[in-house]
């Protein structure tokens, strides 16, 4: 398991966003700070099987996507989830304030780790990358949170 990346997710990302204002604008994209936190929370809920989306990637493209996932290549600026998954516009706020959003994110991160604690080889479906096990999810979550930390200049 990639403990360093999991450590960043568990112990460095939340402190990095703790002082991010709700209305903070990213260097790219349309989400404000709170929308980004809620977006990342949803991503963790997918990995712990609490939120479901259908697979949108054709089977023949999954190996290429998996190669990207396993690489150290970061997401490019302005990388967007497929519109068929999240739509073109940021989702409306789901929580009352940034503190509530961050608490929800922290809870969803712990639920992710807990979901895989008894079987790191079980998988859950990511709508773009397909079935992922715990290690693969760690790699994807790490790429994802670093992408958004860069977007909001938190690194």
């Amino acid at each position: 398991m990639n403990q360093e990346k999991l450590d960043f997710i568990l112990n460095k990302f939340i402190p990095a966003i703790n002082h991010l204002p709700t209305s903070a604008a990213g260097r790219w994209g349309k989400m404000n700070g709170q929308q980004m936190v809620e977006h990342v929370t949803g991503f963790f809920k997918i990995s712990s099987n609490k939120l479901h989306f259908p697979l949108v990637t054709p089977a023949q493209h999954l190996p290429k996507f998996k190669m990207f996932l396993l690489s150290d290549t970061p997401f490019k600026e302005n990388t967007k989830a497929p519109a068929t998954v999240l739509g073109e516009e940021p989702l409306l706020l789901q929580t009352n304030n940034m503190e509530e959003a961050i608490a929800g994110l922290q809870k969803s991160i712990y639920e992710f780790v807990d979901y895989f604690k008894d079987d790191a080889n079980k998988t859950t479906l990511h709508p773009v990358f397909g079935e992922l096990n715990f290690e693969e999810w760690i790699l994807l979550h790490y790429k994802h949170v670093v992408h958004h930390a860069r977007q909001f200049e938190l690194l």
Side-chain angles (χ1 to χ4, degrees), residues 103-121:
L105 172 58
Q106 194 151 33
K107 179 181 179 204
S108 71
I109 292 171
Y110 291 137
E111 288 172 344
F112 156 67
V113 173
D114 191 56
Y115 181 80
F116 286 96
K117 76 176 180 193
D118 294 327
D119 184 1
N121 291 315

Side-chain angles (χ1 to χ4, degrees), residues 57-73:
T57 303
Q60 68 268 25
H61 295 300
L62 286 174
K64 174 178 67 174
F65 282 69
K66 190 77 74 142
M67 281 178 44
F68 167 77
L69 170 66
L70 298 174
S71 76
D72 287 329
T73 305

Side-chain angles (χ1 to χ4, degrees), residues 52-90:
H52 304 96
F53 290 93
L55 182 65
V56 297
T57 303
Q60 68 268 25
H61 295 300
L62 286 174
K64 174 178 67 174
F65 282 69
K66 190 77 74 142
M67 281 178 44
F68 167 77
L69 170 66
L70 298 174
S71 76
D72 287 329
T73 305
F75 285 116
K76 293 178 182 168
E77 292 183 6
N78 242 343
T79 298
K80 296 178 182 156
T84 55
V85 176
L86 291 182
E88 291 291 334
E89 297 298 320

Side-chain angles (χ1 to χ4, degrees), residues 4-66:
E4 185 178 320
K5 289 179 178 167
L6 183 58
D7 181 61
F8 181 87
I9 293 165
L10 290 169
N11 302 311
K12 294 184 176 82
F13 185 62
I14 297 290
I17 62 173
N18 266 333
H19 301 291
L20 183 67
T22 291
S23 61
R27 290 182 18 227
W28 66 81
K30 298 177 181 179
M31 289 187 286
N32 66 31
Q34 188 171 337
Q35 287 168 320
M36 178 273 288
V37 171
E38 292 178 3
H39 162 76
V40 172
T41 301
F43 206 75
F44 277 95
K45 287 181 178 184
I46 292 169
S47 65
S48 61
N49 215 27
K50 293 185 179 296
L51 188 59
H52 304 96
F53 290 93
L55 182 65
V56 297
T57 303
Q60 68 268 25
H61 295 300
L62 286 174
K64 174 178 67 174
F65 282 69
K66 190 77 74 142

